[in-house]
Amino acid sequence: MSITVPPPTLEDLLHEVSDACIGANIDLIKKAYTFSERLHHNQKRASGEPYIIHPLSVAMILAKMNMDEQTIAAALLHDTVEDTSVTLEDIEREFSPEIAKLVDGVTKLSAFTQSNDHNISSSGAFKSRADKQAENLRKIFIAMAKDIRVILIKFADRLHNMRTLTYMKKEKQERIANETLTIFAAIASRLGIWKMKWELEDLSFSYMNPEEYNNLKKLIDQKMADKEKIIQNTIAIITKALEEDGVDVLQISGRRKHIYSAWQKINQRGKDFSEIYDLFAIRVIVNDIESCYKVLGAVHRLWTPMKNRIKDYIARPKSNGYRSLHTTVYGPGEEPVEIQIRTMEMHMVNEYGPAAHWAYKERKNISAQDEYPWVRRIMDWQKDSKDARDYIENIILDMNESEVFVYTPRGDAIDLPAGSTPIDFAYRIHTDVGHKCVGAKVNANIVPLNYRLQNGDRVEIITSKTANPSLDWLNICRGNHTKLKIRQWLKKERREENLLRGRDILEKEIKRVSRIDRRISEDLLSNVELLGKIAEKLNFTNIDDLIASLGYGETSITHVIQKIKNMLPKEPEKILIPAKKAPTRQDILSKGVKVKGVDNVLVVFAKCCNPVPGDDIVGHWKIGTGVSVHRRNCPNVQSDRLTEVWWIGAKTDRRYPVQLEIEAWDRRGLLAEFMNIINDLRIPTNECSAKVKKSKALITIGIEVLDKAQLNAVLRKLAKVNGVLSASRSALSEDITL
């Protein structure tokens, strides 16, 4: 998908700026254009066009958002420091410190920039392209926190690049599209810049999954063509009713649902295409809030509203500032129609987020940290992050979480990750409130601290001066921000406890793993040289810091053990010699399976379906081998040699191998998150593999479970991980004798 519109000219830009703001400093914009055009004069874009078209297009996007002249001038200059010989000092001298800071905020770090960060080698070069990109993003976020206009320029820059991405190689298209979707579209959503969010999402989706994009686009186009008459009829009926009620309507129009948004409902929420009621909506824009409610009343007089589909975001705005009335009614012909009602100011804020401040306020910069609480959170992560990629991963996880909206006793909206508890709410209010939390009231009722908050809950935190955070809270809370604050406190206040707990965790895990991996001995804790190398690889100053980190939950024991395994020599392959001795009755019974009418027979478990206690099973006679036990619905079972078998005996500690298949949107740290879940459940793993195609990861993990109930518990936990599309048992091909 590419946007083919004629490139703007300087005259187009100046006309747009003049229309948006009478008395705008046109000379400043002309000067910035001339300066940029001279520096980029001999440069071409991948399309073959003169490079100046790109900064001019970026400036035009911002002009249409009514941005100030300084922002537009910075947009015209945004690539000069990165791609030409000019310096920030030159920009500051030629223009102003304000414009220089904006240009600096969106300028990428050089591959040879000197830094003390762990991601940069002693020579000054980044260790990898991923490290460099993570540092560039961190730089943008820090600059954004000081001046929101930095991210607006970056959005416009990315939007124009996405509109012209068709000229790039396929691999680069997919990489840029994935980054745009997971980071920039997500930030646009958090800032409430819906107009950019929707276009960035659809453009990204078209490159990441062109087949699904095109199929869904055809479905929506067809549906819209079928409903065009209904939309126009509905608009006409509403317009007439509002005229009769004396309501002054500024604008009324139809709006179609964006393709990626529809795809999310179908694929991530399990809805059928026919169940998406907001494929098209009618938007009514009026003069004031009183008129909004008059329109809502008129619409409900005309048609019956659908149950649970009336949302008042005027009385209770979203945390990103979104305000509107939404209702879905059974319109003409009993067709579901969504109606959105708002004022023009609300509409501008909803479409352009912080950019609307320049249209409706004093046309001056706002502090992102003051205006948006989640920006304060990412600044907190920045202060405590040793690694740029971990920092970016935390931001991505936070921004792409499903959200729940709850309210303070004063009625202020607070957004939290879905599944959050009162502990998450307390830390979102203030770190000290979180530290001193001892209880909570939800909707005036006392609730436990592990209560899962629901949309619309009104939450009040009970505190005590003598209270302190508990390590158990890390298993209760949901948000990364909350966990970071708890770990920071535990790290600072409970150093000795953390060392003892961390050493105990490491000793127990080494003892457990040593039973199945002969390379690992129980005296490994005394191997100072090896542990020192592990600490260094994980960016810790010394071994005690690593062990303390295990103690307060910052570092996963699974991650440490895997690092240890990677540093030890590989174990020689085992040569298996089949046993000649016939199995005894006790051997057979110990397997937990009884074969009908036979005692002394060899039993094998089929790997094609990996049966575990709790599965409905059937036996299959195999010549010269014995009985192969399958799940009853296994397609490999031959009906001519079946025998009845059943599980026997009390529950034991015996474990059964099962392979899991997980399909998810790929992101850094995904596999580690799965392994942490399995490790927390104390379930052994024996193998793991992963492959990525078109931004989707297919991960296979071999585990050993006690029974079907434990297997189902694992699958439920894995399915809840952010980005997981499916989690199930996988099918193999051969039998294994146990």
Side-chain angles (χ1 to χ4, degrees):
M1 173 182 174
S2 60
I3 306 296
T4 53
V5 294
T9 63
L10 175 60
E11 288 69 28
D12 294 332
L13 176 63
L14 297 177
H15 180 74
E16 188 70 38
V17 172
S18 298
D19 281 354
C21 180
I22 298 172
N25 189 347
I26 297 299
D27 289 339
L28 173 66
I29 295 172
K30 286 180 179 179
K31 179 180 178 181
Y33 174 83
T34 303
F35 190 86
S36 180
E37 199 278 335
R38 175 173 57 81
L39 290 167
H40 291 302
H41 182 67
N42 294 320
Q43 296 174 352
K44 301 283 187 183
R45 301 200 80 215
S47 63
E49 294 175 320
Y51 194 88
I52 190 61
I53 286 175
H54 172 62
L56 188 56
S57 298
V58 173
M60 191 67 172
I61 291 170
L62 292 164
K64 288 180 180 294
M65 295 168 67
N66 294 330
M67 293 304 298
D68 62 308
E69 305 95 304
Q70 288 75 22
T71 306
I72 294 169
L76 289 165
L77 300 165
H78 80 274
D79 276 337
T80 55
V81 174
E82 186 178 326
D83 294 338
T84 76
S85 59
V86 77
T87 65
L88 284 170
E89 290 75 17
D90 295 331
I91 299 289
E92 182 173 340
R93 185 170 53 253
E94 193 72 24
F95 293 93
S96 69
E98 180 183 7
I99 292 174
K101 285 181 181 178
L102 292 173
V103 173
D104 182 35
V106 293
T107 298
K108 293 178 183 176
L109 294 167
S110 165
F112 297 98
T113 300
Q114 292 294 331
S115 170
N116 293 322
D117 194 275
H118 291 284
N119 296 315
I120 301 178
S121 68
S122 57
S123 67
F126 288 94
K127 291 179 180 178
S128 69
R129 187 190 62 79
D131 289 328
K132 179 184 175 185
Q133 183 66 349
E135 277 300 334
N136 283 323
L137 289 170
R138 173 147 70 175
K139 180 175 181 284
I140 289 170
F141 293 148
I142 294 169
M144 174 189 73
K146 297 174 182 175
D147 192 328
I148 199 74
R149 291 176 293 178
V150 169
I151 200 66
L152 297 177
I153 296 170
K154 189 62 186 176
F155 280 151
D157 174 42
R158 181 55 63 105
L159 181 56
H160 184 250
N161 282 332
M162 288 299 298
R163 287 175 176 175
T164 55
L165 197 60
T166 185
Y167 299 103
M168 297 292 183
K169 292 181 180 178
K170 184 173 177 56
E171 181 183 348
K172 193 169 185 179
Q173 287 176 348
E174 292 181 353
R175 176 175 59 78
I176 293 173
N178 184 50
E179 180 188 80
T180 301
L181 184 65
T182 56
I183 297 177
F184 291 103
I187 298 174
S189 176
R190 283 301 179 95
L191 291 174
I193 312 175
W194 296 105
K195 193 173 183 66
M196 278 192 171
K197 163 188 155 66
W198 288 325
E199 189 174 349
L200 289 172
E201 284 180 342
D202 279 3
L203 285 164
S204 300
F205 184 39
S206 71
Y207 286 105
M208 292 170 65
N209 208 327
E211 185 176 347
E212 288 195 44
Y213 172 87
N214 290 323
N215 289 341
L216 190 53
K217 184 177 184 299
K218 287 178 183 176
L219 283 174
I220 294 174
D221 287 346
Q222 180 60 49
K223 187 87 169 179
M224 291 300 292
D226 295 342
K227 304 298 181 186
E228 185 62 34
K229 287 184 179 179
I230 293 175
I231 295 171
Q232 295 306 319
N233 187 27
T234 306
I235 290 174
I237 294 171
I238 294 174
T239 301
K240 183 179 179 182
L242 295 179
E243 284 176 357
E244 291 173 355
D245 288 351
V247 177
D248 186 16
V249 177
L250 298 180
Q251 183 181 315
I252 181 167
S253 58
R255 177 198 66 83
R256 62 181 290 162
K257 192 168 188 67
H258 295 270
I259 297 168
Y260 181 72
S261 180
W263 179 86
Q264 280 183 304
K265 286 196 172 184
I266 294 169
N267 287 271
Q268 295 180 11
R269 301 185 193 176
K271 289 184 177 289
D272 186 81
F273 183 74
S274 61
E275 296 178 288
I276 303 177
Y277 299 126
D278 58 346
L279 275 178
F280 62 89
I282 291 171
R283 184 171 289 157
V284 183
I285 299 177
V286 292
N287 279 313
D288 50 45
I289 293 176
E290 183 182 355
S291 298
C292 290
Y293 290 99
K294 286 182 179 179
V295 174
L296 182 67
V299 169
H300 286 175
R301 285 200 310 272
L302 291 168
W303 301 291
T304 304
M306 289 179 67
K307 187 178 179 181
N308 300 322
R309 295 283 298 179
I310 304 171
K311 298 173 184 177
D312 188 343
Y313 294 122
I314 295 178
R316 288 185 166 181
K318 291 186 178 182
S319 61
N320 58 17
Y322 182 92
R323 293 191 300 162
S324 185
L325 294 176
H326 290 193
T327 183
T328 302
V329 297
Y330 294 102
E334 292 298 302
E335 284 284 342
V337 181
E338 182 177 83
I339 314 291
Q340 300 175 354
I341 309 158
R342 60 188 63 162
T343 67
M344 182 58 76
E345 181 174 351
M346 291 177 197
H347 179 64
M348 291 297 292
V349 172
N350 294 347
E351 293 286 287
Y352 297 113
H357 284 258
W358 279 266
Y360 280 93
K361 297 193 178 180
E362 309 90 69
R363 295 183 66 82
K364 68 178 183 179
N365 179 43
I366 59 171
S367 167
Q369 294 187 74
D370 294 340
E371 197 84 5
Y372 300 96
W374 70 270
V375 176
R376 289 199 296 272
R377 297 203 300 277
I378 68 176
M379 292 305 292
D380 285 341
W381 291 330
Q382 146 66 19
K383 295 171 188 174
D384 201 60
S385 292
K386 296 183 293 292
D387 181 85
R389 281 197 280 178
D390 287 341
Y391 170 68
I392 298 303
E393 183 180 318
N394 272 328
I395 290 176
I396 293 171
L397 284 173
D398 182 77
M399 288 189 302
N400 288 280
E401 288 261 29
S402 297
E403 292 180 311
V404 59
F405 291 91
V406 296
Y407 297 89
T408 67
R410 295 190 307 177
D412 296 327
I414 303 292
D415 63 308
L416 294 167
S420 288
T421 66
I423 296 172
D424 294 285
F425 178 87
Y427 277 98
R428 183 63 59 82
I429 298 302
H430 195 279
T431 300
D432 288 341
V433 175
H435 288 345
K436 300 303 178 184
C437 173
V438 292
K441 290 182 180 179
V442 174
N443 304 323
N445 298 313
I446 296 286
V447 297
L449 289 179
N450 63 356
Y451 170 84
R452 299 296 172 183
L453 298 173
Q454 306 296 314
N455 273 320
D457 280 347
R458 187 176 291 264
V459 188
E460 180 183 350
I461 299 298
I462 303 168
T463 61
S464 168
K465 291 181 180 179
T466 59
N468 288 314
S470 164
L471 183 66
D472 294 336
W473 286 6
L474 292 173
N475 298 320
I476 296 173
C477 64
R478 182 69 179 85
N480 289 327
H481 171 260
T482 310
K483 291 177 181 178
L484 173 67
K485 290 298 181 183
I486 295 170
R487 286 173 182 147
Q488 284 176 339
W489 188 91
L490 293 170
K491 179 179 180 180
K492 182 180 178 182
E493 304 292 337
R494 300 284 174 86
R495 172 83 174 175
E496 293 305 317
E497 269 185 44
N498 295 330
L499 282 168
L500 290 172
R501 188 184 296 110
R503 186 168 290 275
D504 183 56
I505 291 169
L506 188 56
E507 283 179 348
K508 286 180 178 178
E509 188 64 9
I510 286 174
K511 186 176 181 180
R512 186 188 72 81
V513 176
S514 67
R515 300 191 195 111
I516 54 178
D517 192 330
R518 290 183 298 179
R519 298 174 301 159
I520 296 177
S521 61
E522 292 188 29
D523 62 353
L524 188 142
L525 268 174
S526 61
N527 190 336
V528 176
E529 183 182 357
L530 177 62
L531 290 178
K533 290 179 180 177
I534 299 297
E536 184 181 354
K537 279 188 172 293
L538 293 174
N539 294 325
F540 289 100
T541 306
N542 53 53
I543 297 172
D544 278 355
D545 285 351
L546 168 60
I547 292 175
S549 179
L550 285 170
Y552 60 78
E554 180 186 52
T555 301
S556 159
I557 183 62
T558 305
H559 194 36
V560 174
I561 294 297
Q562 190 58 52
K563 289 286 185 186
I564 291 172
K565 288 181 178 180
N566 292 343
M567 295 188 72
L568 293 172
K570 288 188 177 180
E571 190 175 10
E573 292 186 12
K574 298 176 182 178
I575 301 175
L576 300 178
I577 302 174
K580 299 294 184 181
K581 182 181 176 182
T584 65
R585 176 179 174 80
Q586 185 60 36
D587 289 334
I588 297 165
L589 290 178
S590 71
K591 298 181 190 302
V593 172
K594 170 70 175 173
V595 181
K596 183 178 180 180
V598 182
D599 284 339
N600 193 16
V601 65
L602 184 65
V603 174
V604 296
F605 289 86
K607 278 191 79 176
C608 54
C609 55
N610 280 330
V612 300
D615 283 332
D616 187 12
I617 54 175
V618 66
H620 175 228
W621 286 102
K622 300 194 75 173
I623 298 172
T625 304
V627 173
S628 174
V629 178
H630 293 255
R631 291 163 66 192
R632 191 173 292 276
N633 61 356
C634 177
N636 293 334
V637 175
Q638 297 180 15
S639 59
D640 57 337
R641 293 202 297 270
L642 297 185
T643 184
E644 288 300 313
V645 295
W646 56 89
W647 301 103
I648 61 171
K651 190 173 182 180
T652 68
D653 291 334
R654 180 178 187 80
R655 291 188 174 274
Y656 296 79
V658 179
Q659 279 202 319
L660 310 179
E661 276 193 357
I662 309 162
E663 186 180 19
W665 290 112
D666 185 41
R667 57 177 167 81
R668 187 170 179 268
L670 182 66
L671 181 57
E673 192 168 347
F674 293 146
M675 297 305 291
N676 285 341
I677 288 171
I678 294 169
N679 181 67
D680 289 344
L681 293 171
R682 295 288 188 266
I683 294 175
T685 57
N686 50 45
E687 63 176 307
C688 182
S689 65
K691 59 182 179 180
V692 178
K693 185 177 181 181
K694 291 185 177 179
S695 301
K696 286 184 182 178
L698 181 62
I699 297 172
T700 303
I701 304 175
I703 64 173
E704 297 175 1
V705 296
L706 298 170
D707 53 28
K708 188 175 181 180
Q710 190 177 52
L711 170 62
N712 289 338
V714 178
L715 290 172
R716 282 195 298 271
K717 287 269 189 181
L718 296 175
K720 291 180 180 179
V721 172
N722 182 44
V724 169
L725 302 173
S726 65
S728 59
R729 287 165 115 169
S730 62
L732 298 177
S733 57
E734 56 187 272
D735 290 356
I736 180 170
T737 303
L738 298 178

